[in-house]
Amino acid sequence: MTSTSIHPTRSVLSPLASRMHQINTQQSHIAEFDPRDAPNDETLLAEIGYKQELQRRFSTFQIFGISYSIMGILPSVASIAATGLASGPGGFLWSWVIASFLILSIGISMSELASAIPTSGGLYYWTFYYAPESFRVPLSFLIGLTNTMALSAGAVSVAYGNAEEILAAVYLSKDGNFEITSGKTYGVFAACIIFQGLATCVSSRNVAMLQTISSVCHTGLLILFLIVLPIGTKNNVGGFNSKGFIFGEVQNYSDWPKGWQFCLSMMTAVWTIGAFDSCVHMSEEAKNASYGVPIGICGSISVCGLLGWVIIVVINACVSKDLEAVLETPTGFPIAQLFYDSLGKNWAIALMSLMAACQWLMGSSLITACSRQIWAFARDDGLPFCSYVKVVNKKFKVPMRAVGLSCVIGLLIGCLCLAGPAASNALFTLYVCGCYLAWCTPIFLKLTTGKHKFKPGSFYLGHKWSKINNIISCSWGAFIMLLCMFPASKHPDKTNMNYTVVMSFGVWILAMIYFFIYKYKHFHGPKSNLTPEDAIALEKSLSHPDANLSMSDNEMDDVEKIQLSNALKK
């Protein structure tokens, strides 16, 4: 009598290995190419695998403008200043400086990737392109879904901060006779999201111009702030804080060790100087994308890093030395208390109202970028109902259905506002965690498994410095992902717990379950939507750079069409 041995590990892994084999045999094929050989944006996009469906309206300045507008330097710093001030004025200032330089490192790494392969799908496309064939399909899906979640959470966090600003202005106008509740916050938040979506669709023809207007408004608000607040502080308070207080006073208003609280204060810069991947998602609407997108990314990070430092210096000079009272202000918004103390009621209401208007423009820009990521991922069958979502409005050349879906997702995620301050604060760190995973994964793959595939575009540091910068980027990204999981208190309870770890890992685990059970049948990685006619036109465009990329059926030989069609199927 023979006994049959049981191998539980093998019995569990065998179906998974079989599923992975099925996934790998169906994965999309992407040809390698050199971006420097493409004569124009349309040809390079066709080499990447996509036809030109959106209109290229965005200049380099407007690409910079969308990222600069989303960062919305003054409203953003104001929205999360409490996190920075928790380590004192000096901790607020220097944590910003350190974080800004390290964020620029990630921006430079991303710019190299964007210059080489400028496509709206960016992050998940690069992940698929540089990852090993054995697991690049599920990894690409995870990054695409994570980036979509992160941008949606970013739009929600901006709209939530917008609602807080509006309600703080109302509180000041009512002289404190107004109760700010979770329900009121969600109601104002929902109105912001809906009107931002409508504005994005209505202004579809002028969405590039909207970024210019937003950039001008943010800059004008910043100039007003830098003039009015110091004058008001000098006249109404009697003077400014000392240099030692502004630049050297490191305190600790939490129960964490002072050094770790200093690190947590970096989250002010991390949240504010974010969403620069929005430039990537606008690649297929950018003129000279290989050059303009990197300039937009690095330029917006650098400008906002510098301006943020100036803003914090002014805040530290004007804020009350009783920081604990400022942090616990009944307005729920420390900067509103600063305005009230230095400028009085009317000026405080005016500045809060202007900040709310500019933050609303921030949200509109982020909805635009989020909708492009949703559209690109749906184009590659990465989302549910993708055949409906990926449709581009033929009249306006804008993915309006993707805009609508981004708003719906935002409204659903925003329900966390109703769960209390702890859950709503997780909106900020949820966005950061998702972004940094999506940003650093393709950077790490380019540095390791995909280094032999990388062919630089017009923006490149060179082999040696690019490698060093990529290592810094990945190390910083790993640190930030760990940092944003920590709660504000050393002894958390249900009221101050950081739920980012639960939501992030929950989304990632559910995404993988969904993929391996169902979505693997439809998502095989980024897939080309070029027809045989487009592919032949591409070949002729590369052979004759001055030729038009599009051509009529009469210009093509039928045998050529059949041969290419068969090649594409293979």
Side-chain angles (χ1 to χ4, degrees):
M1 181 177 178
T2 60
S3 60
T4 303
S5 60
I6 299 176
H7 301 279
T9 303
R10 185 183 303 169
S11 64
V12 172
L13 293 180
S14 292
L16 181 61
S18 176
R19 182 60 50 84
M20 283 301 301
H21 175 73
Q22 184 180 357
I23 290 169
N24 290 332
T25 56
Q26 296 176 339
Q27 67 180 249
S28 303
H29 172 71
I30 296 181
E32 294 187 27
F33 57 89
D34 191 332
R36 292 169 294 190
D37 293 338
N40 52 51
D41 291 317
E42 290 77 11
T43 303
L44 178 54
L45 183 62
E47 283 196 89
I48 293 170
Y50 301 117
K51 64 173 66 178
Q52 186 70 51
E53 295 184 84
L54 306 178
Q55 291 188 7
R56 293 188 179 270
R57 297 187 178 102
F58 285 74
S59 66
T60 298
F61 176 76
Q62 289 167 333
I63 289 293
F64 161 84
I66 193 168
S67 183
Y68 174 73
S69 176
I70 288 173
M71 292 178 189
I73 186 67
L74 180 56
S76 293
V77 171
S79 294
I80 201 168
T83 301
L85 287 171
S87 62
F92 188 13
L93 183 64
W94 298 115
S95 65
W96 176 279
V97 172
I98 294 169
S100 296
F101 279 106
L102 292 168
I103 293 167
L104 181 59
S105 170
I106 288 188
I108 292 171
S109 296
M110 186 184 295
S111 294
E112 290 182 330
L113 292 167
S115 183
I117 309 178
T119 174
S120 295
L123 298 163
Y124 74 87
Y125 188 104
W126 303 335
T127 299
F128 184 88
Y129 189 83
Y130 295 114
E133 292 188 7
S134 58
F135 59 84
R136 66 183 186 177
V137 177
L139 186 58
S140 174
F141 177 80
L142 177 64
I143 295 304
L145 202 63
T146 299
N147 192 212
T148 302
M149 176 197 72
L151 285 172
S152 299
V156 169
S157 64
V158 169
Y160 180 77
N162 199 179
E164 286 187 318
E165 289 169 346
I166 293 170
L167 291 172
V170 174
Y171 181 91
L172 292 174
S173 68
K174 299 288 187 180
D175 295 318
N177 296 320
F178 179 77
E179 183 181 2
I180 300 175
T181 64
S182 297
K184 291 175 183 176
T185 302
Y186 183 81
V188 176
F189 154 81
C192 290
I193 287 283
I194 292 170
F195 282 105
Q196 285 164 355
L198 291 174
T200 302
C201 292
V202 170
S203 64
S204 56
R205 286 184 179 273
N206 301 306
V207 70
M209 184 59 68
L210 184 63
Q211 309 317 312
T212 303
I213 295 171
S214 181
S215 299
V216 171
C217 290
H218 280 285
T219 304
L221 175 64
L222 176 58
I223 293 171
L224 180 64
F225 167 84
L226 295 177
I227 294 173
V228 170
L229 186 61
I231 293 175
T233 302
K234 185 176 181 180
N235 293 336
N236 299 329
V237 180
F240 305 112
N241 295 317
S242 65
K243 293 180 181 178
F245 181 86
I246 296 170
F247 296 100
E249 187 78 20
V250 178
Q251 300 172 0
N252 185 6
Y253 291 97
S254 73
D255 55 3
W256 288 110
K258 184 179 288 188
W260 187 244
Q261 181 55 49
F262 180 88
C263 292
L264 289 172
S265 291
M266 291 181 182
M267 291 301 295
T268 306
V270 169
W271 184 80
T272 300
I273 311 176
F276 43 84
D277 61 316
S278 57
C279 297
V280 174
H281 302 307
M282 305 307 294
S283 293
E284 295 178 35
E285 297 172 77
K287 302 170 185 175
N288 195 6
S290 286
Y291 172 80
V293 171
I295 294 300
I297 293 172
C298 295
S300 58
I301 294 172
S302 302
V303 169
C304 287
L306 177 60
L307 293 178
W309 185 83
V310 174
I311 290 170
I312 294 170
V313 168
V314 173
I315 290 174
N316 289 350
C318 300
V319 73
S320 168
K321 287 188 177 181
D322 187 3
L323 285 180
E324 193 165 1
V326 174
L327 291 171
E328 295 178 359
T329 173
T331 66
F333 209 79
I335 298 302
Q337 188 64 48
L338 169 63
F339 290 162
Y340 187 85
D341 293 340
S342 296
L343 302 171
K345 174 182 172 181
N346 293 333
W347 268 103
I349 294 171
L351 279 177
M352 289 301 298
S353 300
L354 290 173
M355 280 209 311
C358 285
Q359 185 136 336
W360 186 88
L361 289 172
M362 284 172 57
S364 297
S365 297
L366 194 46
I367 288 288
T368 299
C370 182
S371 66
R372 275 27 173 204
Q373 159 62 17
I374 288 174
W375 168 75
F377 200 37
R379 178 177 60 182
D380 290 320
D381 295 333
L383 290 176
F385 313 111
C386 53
S387 60
Y388 178 82
V389 176
K390 66 184 176 183
V391 173
V392 175
N393 184 280
K394 293 182 179 179
K395 181 179 179 181
F396 297 106
K397 299 291 183 181
V398 168
M400 289 190 177
R401 296 179 183 181
V403 174
L405 181 59
S406 64
C407 293
V408 171
I409 294 173
L411 290 172
L412 293 175
I413 297 177
C415 290
L416 289 170
C417 298
L418 300 173
S424 57
N425 287 338
L427 295 172
F428 295 86
T429 48
L430 178 65
Y431 150 71
V432 170
C433 184
C435 279
Y436 272 76
L437 177 68
W439 295 346
C440 292
T441 298
I443 295 172
F444 177 77
L445 293 171
K446 168 185 169 286
L447 182 65
T448 54
T449 59
K451 57 186 177 182
H452 62 285
K453 288 185 177 181
F454 178 72
K455 293 182 175 63
S458 57
F459 184 94
Y460 185 48
L461 292 184
H463 176 73
K464 176 183 176 181
W465 290 109
S466 176
K467 183 177 180 179
I468 292 172
N469 186 67
N470 289 165
I471 292 172
I472 294 172
S473 298
C474 292
S475 302
W476 168 246
F479 173 71
I480 288 301
M481 288 184 64
L482 175 67
L483 186 68
C484 69
M485 300 289 183
F486 274 76
S489 172
K490 191 176 180 179
H491 304 286
D493 54 32
K494 65 179 181 179
T495 62
N496 58 13
M497 172 64 182
N498 186 344
Y499 292 96
T500 302
V501 62
V502 177
M503 291 187 287
S504 296
F505 280 93
V507 169
W508 295 334
I509 292 170
L510 291 174
M512 287 293 91
I513 292 173
Y514 171 64
F515 175 78
F516 280 104
I517 291 178
Y518 174 75
K519 199 60 181 179
Y520 76 93
K521 302 174 186 177
H522 304 281
F523 181 79
H524 310 302
K527 64 177 185 178
S528 175
N529 62 356
L530 298 176
T531 63
E533 291 84 356
D534 295 323
I536 292 176
L538 169 63
E539 185 178 347
K540 292 191 176 183
S541 177
L542 292 172
S543 302
H544 307 284
D546 295 331
N548 194 322
L549 185 60
S550 60
M551 64 192 315
S552 65
D553 291 345
N554 295 331
E555 293 175 304
M556 301 176 56
D557 183 80
D558 290 337
V559 176
E560 240 183 342
K561 290 184 187 180
I562 296 171
Q563 289 175 341
L564 185 60
S565 179
N566 292 335
L568 290 174
K569 289 178 181 178
K570 292 179 181 179

